[in-house]
């Protein structure tokens, strides 16, 4: 099965093979979303699980991430071509000091499939940068990720900066990443924590309309 082959190639960090298998799956008629979910994301989920259990190290995770990105480069344009659009704006980024975009990339791909507008700030984003973009763009949702315990505290600094600038109200803040959990999210004042990208998409599909309505009041 081509999806199983994609999963194995991501776990092994084989970027070229992942791209070739992704191309093969698309040529066989599988939808971009199914290739994304059953192949690319399933592969990274396996790697993320091993990372949480300390069975792989960061360099191995980064190799897997590069392999996943190789496949995403083929899948992303097909997801963007979707006619599905919704008047929601989402700002996302990995906090300052953290150069990992694994979880962010997965969430971005799934959020694209909901039709929302995405402003991806990338990695190593400072609290002032987050706050500046939120003030300028007035998004409905802010998503922050962190892969390291040493950077997860920056999430609280971002929320503090938003409060200081008076732009925290009516902004839904979602946090995630390997070291983060629901307890930590509550402690720092975030609205939601999700363990994986699938949970984020389900939440958005069920709640985006309500969030937009609440923001416009």
């Amino acid at each position: 099965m081509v999806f199983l082959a994609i999963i194995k190639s991501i776990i092994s960090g084989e970027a070229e093979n992942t791209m070739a298998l992704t191309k093969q799956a698309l040529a066989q008629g599988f939808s971009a979303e199914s290739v994304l979910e059953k192949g690319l994301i399933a592969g990274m989920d396996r790697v993320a699980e091993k990372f949480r259990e300390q069975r792989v190290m960061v360099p191995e995770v980064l190799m897997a991430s590069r392999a996943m990105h190789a496949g995403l480069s083929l899948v992303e344009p097909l997801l963007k071509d979707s006619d599905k659009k919704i008047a929601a704006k989402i700002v996302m980024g990995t906090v300052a000091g953290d150069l990992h975009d694994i979880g962010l990339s997965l969430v971005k791909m799934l959020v694209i499939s909901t039709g929302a507008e995405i402003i991806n700030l990338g990695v190593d984003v400072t609290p002032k940068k987050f706050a500046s973009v939120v003030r300028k763009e007035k998004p409905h949702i802010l998503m922050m990720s962190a892969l390291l315990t040493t950077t997860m505290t920056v999430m609280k600094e971002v929320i503090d900066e938003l409060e200081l600038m008076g732009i925290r109200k009516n902004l839904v803040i979602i946090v995630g990443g390997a070291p983060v959990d629901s307890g930590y999210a509550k402690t720092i004042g975030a609205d939601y924590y999700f363990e994986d990208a699938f949970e984020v998409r389900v939440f958005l599909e069920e709640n985006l309309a309500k969030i937009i309505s609440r923001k416009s009041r």
Side-chain angles (χ1 to χ4, degrees), residues 109-214:
M109 290 304 101
L110 288 178
V111 172
I112 283 175
S113 72
T114 69
E117 178 187 350
I118 301 166
I119 300 170
N120 184 8
L121 303 182
V123 301
D124 197 22
V125 185
T126 65
K128 288 191 180 299
K129 175 68 173 177
F130 271 120
S132 161
V133 173
V134 167
R135 182 171 59 182
K136 178 183 176 183
E137 299 292 342
K138 298 178 175 58
H140 299 87
I141 299 171
L142 171 64
M143 295 183 180
M144 293 185 284
S145 71
L147 192 67
L148 306 173
T149 53
T150 52
T151 60
M152 60 190 283
T153 54
V154 179
M155 291 177 169
K156 176 66 164 62
E157 295 174 25
V158 174
I159 294 174
D160 288 345
E161 186 71 20
L162 295 171
E163 294 277 9
L164 187 65
M165 294 176 66
I167 53 178
R168 169 67 180 94
K169 188 178 178 182
N170 294 330
L171 176 66
V172 173
I173 297 179
I174 298 174
V175 297
V180 184
D181 58 27
S182 57
Y184 181 73
K186 184 176 181 180
T187 299
I188 64 174
D191 296 301
Y192 299 99
Y193 155 79
F194 295 108
E195 187 174 346
D196 59 47
F198 289 114
E199 289 185 1
V200 176
R201 186 179 65 173
V202 170
F203 170 80
L204 292 177
E205 288 177 341
E206 294 178 351
N207 295 281
L208 264 182
K210 286 182 267 187
I211 291 171
I212 293 168
S213 174
R214 189 171 64 201

Side-chain angles (χ1 to χ4, degrees), residues 86-108:
I86 190 166
K89 185 181 286 187
I90 300 171
V91 169
M92 59 173 59
T94 301
V95 297
D98 200 320
L99 302 177
H100 302 93
D101 66 348
I102 300 164
L104 195 69
S105 296
L106 295 177
V107 172
K108 178 188 171 186

Side-chain angles (χ1 to χ4, degrees), residues 9-22:
S9 69
I10 287 175
I11 293 173
S12 301
E14 300 170 358
E16 289 184 13
N17 194 35
T18 299
M19 178 175 277
L21 289 165
T22 300

